[in-house]
Amino acid sequence: MLVGACSFQGDVSMKRLQDKGFSLLEVLVALAIFGVLLGALFSLLKQEKLLLRSATEMFHARLIANETMETLKGHAFEKLESSSFKQASKLKDVTVNVLVSDFGANMLKKLVVTVQWVDGQGREKHLSLATLRSQYSVRDAKGGGGQ
């Protein structure tokens, strides 16, 4: 019977702890942990927003550079020349620089297109594309030029 009495007292003390709920210290610790996790989440979201903006800017700069390079491919070989111009875009303060230089024995020209802009944080960024252009077109190489 002594064993049963001890068991009964143990159940009563367990019941008192369950009725008591959370202590103030437990609530404060839980709030502190929640606050740290929430702060980390907001920090990650801010970083993600910056990365997305940077990727979008790089994408638009790449489109401008590709468009300029394709335009240069349509010009006659002899008329290719270096230039610089501003272009309207979603990017801020966009300048496109085209550098044309002889490469090899005057049968090739090196074309470098550089797009410069100011990013959302006020830093100057740039993207460059380069290619070589032959004085002969693909059609000439296949034997179909002028016929």
Side-chain angles (χ1 to χ4, degrees):
M1 269 198 151
L2 188 58
V3 173
C6 287
S7 173
F8 177 72
Q9 287 177 351
D11 289 340
V12 170
S13 64
M14 286 296 267
K15 190 165 182 133
R16 285 186 195 154
L17 286 177
Q18 290 174 353
D19 291 341
K20 193 174 182 184
F22 296 110
S23 70
L24 180 60
L25 182 61
E26 291 171 331
V27 171
L28 289 176
V29 168
L31 284 175
I33 292 171
F34 181 72
V36 167
L37 292 175
L38 199 58
L41 177 66
F42 283 132
S43 176
L44 286 174
L45 288 176
K46 181 179 178 184
Q47 187 67 22
E48 185 269 338
K49 183 179 176 183
L50 291 173
L51 287 173
L52 182 62
R53 181 184 299 152
S54 177
T56 302
E57 289 173 352
M58 193 64 75
F59 174 75
H60 285 292
R62 180 78 167 190
L63 286 176
I64 293 168
N66 280 340
E67 179 183 338
T68 305
M69 192 65 80
E70 290 300 320
T71 302
L72 290 172
K73 287 180 182 178
H75 288 83
F77 183 79
E78 302 79 26
K79 294 186 179 183
L80 290 172
E81 58 185 28
S82 297
S83 63
S84 180
F85 57 92
K86 295 241 183 229
Q87 181 164 340
S89 171
K90 292 183 178 183
L91 301 175
K92 184 178 177 185
D93 298 331
V94 177
T95 303
V96 179
N97 297 310
V98 177
L99 178 65
V100 179
S101 59
D102 288 334
F103 190 86
N106 288 338
M107 293 175 37
L108 293 174
K109 288 193 178 185
K110 182 177 181 180
L111 308 175
V112 180
V113 176
T114 303
V115 179
Q116 295 176 325
W117 74 97
V118 177
D119 71 359
Q121 296 179 333
R123 296 178 296 194
E124 189 171 303
K125 300 273 191 159
H126 69 276
L127 174 103
S128 294
L129 294 180
T131 191
L132 295 175
R133 168 88 189 273
S134 170
Q135 70 181 14
Y136 303 107
S137 69
V138 174
R139 193 172 60 192
D140 291 340
K142 290 182 179 178
Q147 292 182 6

